Amino acid sequence: MIKYLVKMLQALSSNTSPAQIAHAVSCGLMLGFIPKDNILWYVLFVFILFLRIQRGTFGLFILIGALLAPLADPIFNDIGYWILSQDSLTPVFQSLLDIPFVAFTKINNTVVLGSLVGGLAVYIPVWLVSRFFIFIWRKYIAATARRWKFVKVLKQIPLIEKIVDVVTEGM
């Protein structure tokens, strides 16, 4: 996890596009919300790896999303149940499940469908907040972080020295 954190902090202070970092945060959270015991997760994971995103941030936010998912599972269950119980969508899901290998996506599971829809619903708000945070970090916080006493104390701890060096290196 420290490796992903170092890569994310490196990206925040580097020349990496803010959009790439924001997409990595959004994609990572979306993928972290989805249960990992189905083919849908792996297909989305491989597809997202082909996108131009910051992969260290992506990995870190998959872990963060996976930690937050159990708290949101009741909401995801309700969303998935509501979608699956719509009479107008019943033929769609029946025809989807008749296609070979689609059943392995577990799209008929309320938590899987609800977490996919929930992850897609928060994608744009998370992207906007991430983009704003990156702007604030690069314009105001990173320039003064080197002078903080807290950063100077952290620099003296060998394990954290690498993280602090990465954060202050782009300044």
Side-chain angles (χ1 to χ4, degrees):
M1 185 156 166
I2 289 179
K3 179 175 108 176
Y4 294 131
L5 182 62
V6 167
K7 285 185 178 186
M8 185 189 75
L9 292 173
Q10 236 173 0
L12 283 175
S13 298
S14 73
N15 240 359
T16 305
S17 165
Q20 290 177 0
I21 300 169
H23 281 299
V25 170
S26 297
C27 289
L29 275 180
M30 181 182 68
L31 217 53
F33 287 159
I34 299 173
K36 281 90 182 137
D37 64 343
N38 59 66
I39 257 191
L40 176 67
W41 192 90
Y42 294 102
V43 168
L44 288 174
F45 180 78
V46 169
F47 175 73
I48 291 170
L49 285 179
F50 283 108
L51 299 176
R52 187 177 298 254
I53 61 172
Q54 210 286 322
R55 287 183 179 78
T57 305
F58 175 62
L60 179 67
F61 276 88
I62 286 176
L63 293 173
I64 291 171
L67 291 173
L68 294 175
L71 301 173
D73 274 349
I75 297 167
F76 295 150
N77 186 45
D78 292 343
I79 292 170
Y81 181 77
W82 183 80
I83 293 170
L84 288 172
S85 64
Q86 297 299 311
D87 292 333
S88 60
L89 293 177
T90 301
V92 173
F93 287 109
Q94 285 176 345
S95 63
L96 276 175
L97 292 175
D98 288 339
I99 299 171
F101 298 109
V102 173
F104 294 125
T105 64
K106 295 187 180 178
I107 201 74
N108 60 337
N109 183 320
T110 58
V111 175
V112 172
L113 184 61
S115 62
L116 176 64
V117 170
L120 290 171
V122 300
Y123 189 93
I124 291 176
V126 167
W127 186 86
L128 290 171
V129 168
S130 301
R131 187 79 192 251
F132 179 71
F133 173 75
I134 294 163
F135 171 76
I136 296 297
W137 175 268
R138 288 183 175 176
K139 184 150 181 121
Y140 301 108
I141 299 172
T144 60
R146 191 176 359 158
R147 293 176 295 210
W148 292 345
K149 288 183 181 182
F150 177 72
V151 172
K152 291 177 182 177
V153 169
L154 284 178
K155 262 188 109 88
Q156 295 174 358
I157 301 171
L159 177 63
I160 301 178
E161 182 177 357
K162 182 177 180 181
I163 295 173
V164 174
D165 286 341
V166 165
V167 170
T168 58
E169 136 186 323
M171 297 182 227

